[in-house]
Amino acid sequence: MPQLRAPRGTRDLLPDDAARFLRFAEVARGLTERYGYRPIETPLIEQAAVFERGIGEVTDVVEKELFRIAPRTEESEAWALRPEPTAGIVRAYVQHGMQTWPQPVRLTTTGPMFRYDRPQAGRYRQFWQFDVEAIGDPGPAVDAEIIELGLRFFAEVGVQGAEVLLNSIGDPACRPAYLEALVAFYRGHAAELPPTERDRLERNPLRLLDSKDPAMAALNAVAPRTVDHLCEACAAHFAGLRRHLYALAIPYRIEPGLVRGLDYYTRTAIEFYVAGREGQQQALGGGGRYDGLVELLGGRPTPGIGFGLGLDRIALVLDEQRGTAEAAGPGHHDAPDAVVVSADPADTVGRLRIATELLAAGLRARADLGHRKLGRQLEAAGRDGAHFAVILGDELAEGQVQLRDLEAGTQRAVAISDLARELKRGASQHRHG
RNA sequence: GUGGCCUUAGCUCAACUGGCAGAGCAUCGGAUUGUGGCUCCGAAGGUUACGGGUUCAAGCCCCGUAGGCCACCCCA
């Protein structure tokens, strides 16, 4: 057992997993490109103030989950690892004057996020998100666009049964009155509240709504709903969103208990999930509208909306839906067209020379670099899933090698000068046959 | 940050009531001259997560720490 290991809550993505995450990123790139979202990369570290101000000082994410980096000198500022991508992207929007670009500015990024909480399956301290943001458009049409994009991502990576939960949590115009009504309601039932919930009532009353405490279920069912207390503008926005979703034939469920954990959200709250799964890490993605965030971070008042999808959890769901994950170990997805082996166990020079010629010709080729006897080399080539073995033997004197079809078990002599051409023909036959 | 369960070879798991740590798979090597997948033989791989304690004797009992999982908190 090695004493050095990946830090708690982090993990190595071994080749099978790493390839899968890369594929997610490729799907994300193709998709967002078509929709007109342009890539952006912001630092993994930001001034802590970006998150404290943007996300909110009293949120769990900032209070207890932020990876803080201590200042190195008295003068330097406190930094933190990004717990989510939106605050950093909005910071970049303001810093680089993107309000002068055609609005909305559609941006996307995929990368690791960091939260210092207690790890569990599907919940890591370093996790990956595919994220999209549309900044500068107030209308509900862009809300619908982004939701449709999210669902399409799930479809393209092969997740079955992805669904959308929606809610509207109002804005600064209507939320104070709603909160008042909410607090008044729970105060009226203070005797029925568990202690932790009573504490929340003072600190963050919205959170009472999505409590998992069974004792709260009955109460929450009759609690005031955000959607019933929206101001005229927010109500119109929500109705507009529903109209657009209807026109796009996108099903959704309104979830009155869906209140996002970050302060910057206004109006539309979104969550993606797959129904009927075990365990608690059900959310595969979430996001919403943040019409006040740009201003909070020093820009002009600018609306925005976005979401992030958790790639670790999507990988988990794909495993569940396939029954079991493919076996670990060397995969055959990048199986070579040919492995160059030799009857002379010592002749790595000849093998490497032929292999590099094949590589230069664009083939997937590799040389067996060991000093094993021929049988072992062929055995290894077969295990690697190679289609052909190029066997170097006495025929080298006549400028020939044996080209062996490892699947058919047949072989013939081929002139070295014809080898690349022959292999290309054979490889394409294998791919189409 | 709170509580519960768990940790034996790279992986999946054995090891009686406390009595010399094992198997399968994977890896590497061999089975008479240059031919793989099957089979046979062999090797390597362990401070039983780590640190203490009890005992003639600890993988097994006790305490602590770390990590994983589960439920909270919360979220992706």
Side-chain angles (χ1 to χ4, degrees):
Chain A
M1 207 53 60
Q3 50 181 330
L4 261 29
R5 50 185 173 187
R8 179 169 204 200
T10 71
R11 57 182 183 148
D12 300 308
L13 295 177
L14 302 185
D16 283 345
D17 277 327
R20 182 147 72 156
F21 274 50
L22 227 42
R23 194 176 69 80
F24 291 159
E26 281 161 12
V27 169
R29 172 160 167 67
L31 193 61
T32 53
E33 200 168 51
R34 282 188 276 140
Y35 281 67
Y37 287 75
R38 306 216 55 216
I40 185 169
E41 297 289 340
T42 63
L44 272 53
I45 50 174
E46 293 275 355
Q47 297 174 24
V50 169
F51 307 120
E52 289 163 352
R53 233 193 291 166
I55 295 170
E57 304 263 10
V58 299
T59 57
D60 277 4
V61 167
V62 166
E63 266 186 347
K64 42 186 253 198
E65 296 174 4
L66 206 57
F67 264 97
R68 293 174 183 280
I69 297 171
R72 295 188 65 108
T73 67
E74 293 294 325
E75 305 87 59
S76 69
E77 57 224 347
W79 291 345
L81 263 40
R82 65 182 186 189
E84 54 87 49
T86 307
I89 288 175
V90 167
R91 190 227 82 227
Y93 177 95
V94 172
Q95 178 178 338
H96 300 287
M98 294 188 207
Q99 73 274 5
T100 68
W101 298 10
Q103 305 291 301
V105 177
R106 292 183 170 88
L107 298 169
T108 180
T109 198
T110 298
M113 308 295 156
F114 304 85
R115 289 188 200 176
Y116 189 82
D117 56 6
R118 193 132 163 197
Q120 231 173 87
R123 185 163 74 191
Y124 302 99
R125 288 181 171 180
Q126 175 179 339
F127 58 99
W128 284 65
Q129 274 193 2
F130 157 49
D131 177 79
V132 299
E133 310 286 347
I135 307 175
D137 188 327
V142 71
D143 299 28
E145 171 189 284
I146 220 169
I147 289 168
E148 198 271 337
L149 193 166
L151 286 174
R152 196 163 300 280
F153 179 82
F154 285 111
E156 287 201 9
V157 298
V159 170
Q160 291 159 29
E163 297 179 23
V164 185
L165 294 184
L166 282 185
N167 194 20
S168 179
I169 56 173
D171 68 6
C174 48
R175 201 177 306 163
Y178 170 72
L179 286 178
E180 223 167 279
L182 190 68
V183 170
F185 169 79
Y186 284 118
R187 287 238 169 87
H189 296 81
E192 304 157 48
L193 293 181
T196 57
E197 307 296 339
R198 214 168 304 163
D199 179 55
R200 275 191 188 162
L201 185 54
E202 308 305 324
R203 291 166 46 82
N204 201 344
L206 261 190
R207 301 234 59 89
L208 282 158
L209 282 175
D210 66 350
S211 167
K212 291 191 193 72
D213 194 319
M216 295 293 292
L219 207 51
N220 282 341
V222 294
R225 294 151 37 114
T226 56
V227 286
D228 297 328
H229 289 74
L230 298 178
C231 61
E232 207 169 310
C234 286
H237 182 95
F238 198 45
L241 171 56
R242 300 181 66 172
R243 200 166 60 243
H244 283 84
L245 292 175
Y246 180 79
L248 297 176
I250 294 174
Y252 58 90
R253 210 176 76 218
I254 293 184
E255 177 55 60
L258 180 61
V259 291
R260 314 257 75 227
L262 315 183
D263 277 4
Y264 56 59
Y265 285 115
T266 57
R267 295 189 172 171
T268 310
I270 308 166
E271 192 163 300
F272 294 98
Y273 79 113
V274 169
R277 296 181 53 229
E278 301 289 314
Q280 289 304 305
Q281 276 71 52
Q282 303 252 0
L284 301 183
R289 185 162 275 284
Y290 45 83
D291 290 345
L293 181 58
V294 175
E295 194 176 2
L296 259 180
L297 294 182
R300 313 188 50 158
T302 307
I305 184 168
F307 66 73
L309 304 186
L311 300 187
D312 307 80
R313 288 186 185 176
I314 287 172
L316 208 59
V317 168
L318 286 173
D319 286 344
E320 291 169 7
Q321 293 187 344
R322 278 176 200 154
T324 48
E326 303 91 283
H332 282 187
H333 304 292
D334 50 358
D337 297 317
V339 173
V340 183
V341 301
S342 171
D344 176 1
D347 181 25
T348 51
V349 169
R351 276 177 247 164
L352 202 51
R353 217 182 51 219
I354 299 288
T356 53
E357 278 173 29
L358 298 178
L359 286 163
L363 285 153
R364 297 177 167 200
R366 83 180 61 125
D368 189 308
L369 298 179
H371 288 180
R372 300 179 290 191
K373 65 177 192 174
L374 182 58
R376 290 287 174 189
Q377 297 177 49
L378 285 168
E379 188 183 342
R383 267 202 314 264
D384 276 355
H387 298 128
F388 292 95
V390 174
I391 304 171
L392 276 44
D394 296 336
E395 305 91 327
L396 279 175
E398 291 96 58
Q400 291 191 328
V401 297
Q402 292 289 334
L403 179 57
R404 181 174 182 82
D405 184 323
L406 289 170
E407 281 156 43
T410 58
Q411 72 183 48
R412 62 199 165 90
V414 171
I416 291 176
S417 52
D418 294 334
L419 184 59
R421 193 170 349 137
E422 288 294 314
L423 267 172
K424 277 184 183 170
R425 216 167 44 124
S428 76
Q429 270 171 9
H430 265 285
R431 280 177 197 146
H432 300 121

